Amino acid sequence: MNLNQIIEEILRSSQLTYLVLVFFAVSLFLYLLFLTSFSILGLWLSEAGLWLAWIPLTLIAIGFPFTIKMHFLTQINPINPFFMSIGIVANIITFMGLMIPFLQISMTNEKLKKAMEKDLGDDYLEIIEKNLIVRFTQEVKFKLIRYFLGAKARFIRKTLNIYKEIPYKRIGDMDLKLNAYAPRRVGSFPIIIFIHGGAWMLGSKDRGRDENVCKMLANHGYVVFNIDYRLFPRKANTIAEMLSDVRAAIKFVKQIGPGFGGDPKTVFLFGRSAGAHLSLLSAFTQQGPFFKEELGQYKQEDLEVSGVIAFYPPTNLEALYNFYKILAPKIAMAKIIGGKPEDKKELYQLFSPVSYLTEQNAKFIPPVFIATGLKDKLVAPTQSKELYEKLQRLNITTVLLEFPNANHGFDTIQAGPNSQLAYKYLLQFLAWVLSKEKESKQLENAETYQQTRIVLTRSERHPTTRKPFFVSTEEDEAKTNRLFTEESMKYRAEKRVEISER
């Protein structure tokens, strides 16, 4: 029996209408699932689309020949070809919608590359030093094979030392803890403190998708500390307590970092969603105590960081509150912050990172890397845009990468098209910042050397104490030379007397 005979046999079946309705129901379900990619329910659909695209494609291949045959059979109930046709159209729309992020990935990549060049300079890759201890991808591309193979978790694990449940802060009888991921190579590696998201209410340092990000970063040459912090409402009453935990973690990590191979002078904060909010808030307020209770607790160097990585961050909490059209997130925000914006406007400003972007604070704010999806339905992409524009006006190094087809949490699937690009550009940004810091230190050292030259040659040492002279200006140098001549003559005269007495 050939395919044509099988189709005719099914079309004459008494169960035809039932089969048509099943086909239509499955097609409609897939279409509605695709539509959720434009809502808060479809957070990762843009990244997983290629894995799902075969389902509508299979339904199209099955349904199309049946629908054609139905139109030529007069005894067929006209409702059947109608529902089959609608089902096929729904599947075509679903398939094309799932494929869009992949079909447009080259165009997206080109836009992201231009954004990097605009903010860091056309030659930003040339600035990156070749002998950095960290690794990055020189040419950013989406790799289809990696999408299907996923991350090499077993291989990555073999290159790392992983330490779990390290206490960093004690509150009453409770310990806040962190996990550490360090390269097994020998060296002094930059440090990244990872702060998980979860709407200030959910999440953990042990969540699998966050651990995978930490392992990937450690595999590229960073010592990564993944922290827990108090969450609302079980352990924290407000965002202030969460921020207090983050600040305590920064100080603690700087103290213990060298024991894991980390360099405490190069610390980056990396947060996603609510974690990005806390990262920004901590970095933008590092110049002084945030609460009265912190007076005397921290020096500025305890909280200083080299940069901030913020993925889809809440930056203006009052605007975010007004962005929501449904009641549930508004109620949650009001409880976490302490009231509605009209009643507690000062609290919304206090906990909004954009409130601290002033000329006075600008000199304390480090470079910032922002990534957001333009289809984000949980945190409006305008939150990232506002932050970027205000940082730019203050001449603070900032990169904003906008992903046209991405929703909130798009980078959860690391091998997805937008995720691959986001993390490759992030690694370039980190390497660029590290290179600029190294260059800045070299210039600073050169200036210091010019201002206070340490004379180390034998002839320029003090003839009696043998200590080097310190020369800071031409006038001081002339004075030092006179002193050297006088002391030298005295020293030689003493030696001549000593020899004659012998």
Side-chain angles (χ1 to χ4, degrees), residues 272-338:
R272 302 194 292 190
S273 193
H277 164 262
L278 294 173
S279 298
L280 293 166
L281 196 56
S282 180
F284 293 176
T285 59
Q286 61 181 288
Q287 66 274 17
F290 193 83
F291 330 94
K292 290 179 182 178
E293 294 79 5
E294 284 188 337
L295 286 170
Q297 240 180 50
Y298 301 108
K299 299 175 184 176
Q300 187 177 330
E301 55 265 29
D302 293 335
L303 301 174
E304 280 179 342
V305 293
S306 298
V308 185
I309 306 150
F311 277 33
Y312 30 89
T315 62
N316 184 332
L317 298 189
E318 184 177 353
L320 183 62
Y321 181 92
N322 294 326
F323 164 73
Y324 294 123
K325 305 302 179 190
I326 55 178
L327 200 56
K330 288 190 172 187
I331 293 172
M333 279 194 71
K335 285 185 176 180
I336 293 167
I337 294 169

Side-chain angles (χ1 to χ4, degrees), residues 447-496:
E447 288 173 5
T448 303
Y449 181 77
Q450 291 299 327
Q451 292 169 3
T452 311
R453 183 168 61 89
I454 302 176
V455 185
L456 295 173
T457 60
R458 180 181 176 85
S459 63
E460 291 175 298
R461 288 178 180 270
H462 192 284
T464 306
T465 65
R466 313 310 299 155
K467 292 181 180 179
F469 290 107
F470 290 81
V471 183
S472 57
T473 65
E474 289 183 8
E475 184 182 346
D476 291 338
E477 188 166 0
K479 189 187 295 183
T480 303
N481 286 337
R482 287 196 302 273
L483 177 62
F484 170 76
T485 304
E486 292 168 4
E487 290 283 353
S488 183
M489 289 174 68
K490 182 180 177 182
Y491 175 75
R492 286 196 293 271
E494 288 172 354
K495 280 293 180 185
R496 281 197 296 273

Side-chain angles (χ1 to χ4, degrees), residues 36 44 90 97 105 127 134 171 252 260 325 382 433 453 469:
T36 64
W44 314 302
I105 198 65
I127 291 172
V134 299
I171 305 162
F252 179 81
F260 295 84
K325 305 302 179 190
T382 51
V433 171
R453 183 168 61 89
F469 290 107

Side-chain angles (χ1 to χ4, degrees), residues 262-460:
D263 178 5
K265 292 180 181 178
T266 52
V267 176
F268 295 89
L269 299 181
F270 181 8
R272 302 194 292 190
S273 193
H277 164 262
L278 294 173
S279 298
L280 293 166
L281 196 56
S282 180
F284 293 176
T285 59
Q286 61 181 288
Q287 66 274 17
F290 193 83
F291 330 94
K292 290 179 182 178
E293 294 79 5
E294 284 188 337
L295 286 170
Q297 240 180 50
Y298 301 108
K299 299 175 184 176
Q300 187 177 330
E301 55 265 29
D302 293 335
L303 301 174
E304 280 179 342
V305 293
S306 298
V308 185
I309 306 150
F311 277 33
Y312 30 89
T315 62
N316 184 332
L317 298 189
E318 184 177 353
L320 183 62
Y321 181 92
N322 294 326
F323 164 73
Y324 294 123
K325 305 302 179 190
I326 55 178
L327 200 56
K330 288 190 172 187
I331 293 172
M333 279 194 71
K335 285 185 176 180
I336 293 167
I337 294 169
K340 297 178 181 179
E342 54 265 31
D343 302 323
K344 298 288 183 179
K345 192 176 184 69
E346 70 282 0
L347 289 179
Y348 280 79
Q349 291 177 343
L350 179 69
F351 296 131
S352 293
V354 293
S355 301
Y356 301 91
L357 299 181
T358 63
E359 293 285 350
Q360 184 180 356
N361 291 341
K363 61 183 177 181
F364 301 107
I365 296 175
V368 181
F369 180 94
I370 311 165
T372 188
L374 294 182
K375 289 184 180 178
D376 196 328
K377 302 302 179 186
L378 277 179
V379 178
T382 51
Q383 295 269 311
S384 295
K385 191 72 174 177
E386 180 185 356
L387 174 67
Y388 171 76
E389 289 173 351
K390 289 189 174 183
L391 286 166
Q392 287 283 301
R393 282 198 288 271
L394 293 172
N395 294 318
I396 295 166
T397 301
T398 315
V399 170
L400 171 62
L401 299 187
E402 297 177 305
F403 295 82
N405 301 296
N407 203 328
H408 197 79
F410 67 87
D411 64 306
T412 300
I413 301 174
Q414 271 189 53
N418 294 310
S419 300
Q420 283 194 37
L421 301 185
Y423 281 112
K424 286 175 181 177
Y425 282 119
L426 168 59
L427 291 168
Q428 286 185 352
F429 171 82
L430 291 172
W432 183 88
V433 171
L434 291 169
S435 298
K436 295 293 283 186
E437 274 198 355
K438 192 173 180 181
E439 180 187 327
S440 178
K441 286 175 184 175
Q442 288 172 346
L443 288 171
E444 187 180 323
N445 291 338
E447 288 173 5
T448 303
Y449 181 77
Q450 291 299 327
Q451 292 169 3
T452 311
R453 183 168 61 89
I454 302 176
V455 185
L456 295 173
T457 60
R458 180 181 176 85
S459 63
E460 291 175 298

